[in-house]
Amino acid sequence: MKRLFVDLEICSSCKECAVACDYFYHPQNNGISSLREYATFATICRHCEEAPCVNACYHHALERARDGHLKRYAMRCTSCKSCTLACPFGVIFQDFIPYLDSKCDFCVGTSEKMPACIRSCPEKAIQIQEFAAEDQEKDIYFVGQHLAVHARKWSREDIQPQKKK
Ligand code: SF4
Ligand code: SF4
């Protein structure tokens, strides 16, 4: 199945994003911000049980969903950046939480042409690719139905002390 693929190892280190977006109903939409938000919250976020970011949000705009993933309610978020300061792991980049929120719908249904983000990303960090399954050895993970992410995923098991043999 084809998915929109974002390589966070490239995208997170890009200094000046030049990516364009084609969102008909919202010409100023900057879908790359929400794309990075989804991808980062699903893979790099530590999914803290007592999440400092959630506790720091006075607007109740952040919650941990049932699957443990962080979820932000854009209609409540005022872009105050308290969560950015509260996260001890530097997960919430300021550009994820703009005051005017943008959406990425993965350009579902517009497959006759390449999405603008793919055409405009000079680093080739966004592509459409066919994936049969996730590949943990290559750090490829699925997020929802339409997105695949390349990232060094954090996992609680990674920091458990190795048992003596
Ligand atoms: S930026 Fe948004 S989500 Fe973060 S603390 Fe402020 S209101 Fe909450
Ligand atoms: S964003 Fe930071 S503080 Fe919030 S759950 Fe993820 S790692 Fe924890």
Side-chain angles (χ1 to χ4, degrees):
M1 179 186 166
K2 283 191 176 172
R3 287 174 179 259
L4 191 65
F5 170 64
V6 61
D7 189 333
L8 283 186
E9 297 290 316
I10 299 173
C11 182
S12 299
S13 60
C14 178
K15 298 270 183 299
E16 287 185 34
C17 186
V19 163
C21 184
D22 267 338
Y23 198 63
F24 182 77
Y25 298 104
H26 182 185
Q28 293 176 339
N29 193 62
N30 183 25
I32 187 68
S33 65
S34 72
L35 189 60
R36 293 181 65 207
E37 180 185 2
Y38 298 142
T40 302
F41 284 176
T43 58
I44 299 172
C45 170
R46 270 59 166 174
H47 302 149
C48 308
E49 285 170 17
E50 290 294 327
C53 59
V54 174
N55 293 336
C57 181
Y58 289 101
H59 304 282
H60 306 290
L62 285 174
E63 73 171 26
R64 286 184 74 228
R66 283 193 183 159
D67 60 4
H69 289 184
L70 199 57
K71 181 170 177 175
R72 184 173 64 94
Y73 293 91
M75 296 296 280
R76 294 185 197 156
C77 175
T78 60
S79 191
C80 71
K81 316 284 194 287
S82 301
C83 53
T84 301
L85 294 172
C87 172
F89 303 102
V91 163
I92 307 180
F93 288 7
Q94 292 194 13
D95 57 322
F96 295 174
I97 44 175
Y99 183 63
L100 285 178
D101 202 46
S102 293
K103 282 281 165 253
C104 173
D105 64 4
F106 316 108
C107 282
V108 173
T110 57
S111 53
E112 67 277 3
K113 64 172 186 172
M114 279 288 167
C117 56
I118 296 177
R119 286 183 272 127
S120 54
C121 176
E123 305 295 336
K124 307 267 182 278
I126 315 170
Q127 297 165 36
I128 286 183
Q129 283 192 21
E130 184 93 34
F131 293 95
E134 292 186 321
D135 187 338
Q136 293 188 5
E137 284 190 8
K138 291 185 179 168
D139 288 326
I140 307 277
Y141 299 96
F142 290 171
V143 180
Q145 282 185 297
H146 304 290
L147 181 62
V149 181
H150 176 233
R152 294 282 303 278
K153 188 176 184 180
W154 184 86
S155 140
R156 202 164 298 242
E157 289 69 40
D158 290 346
I159 58 166
Q160 299 301 319
Q162 298 289 317
K163 285 184 185 159
K164 287 183 183 166
K165 291 180 182 167

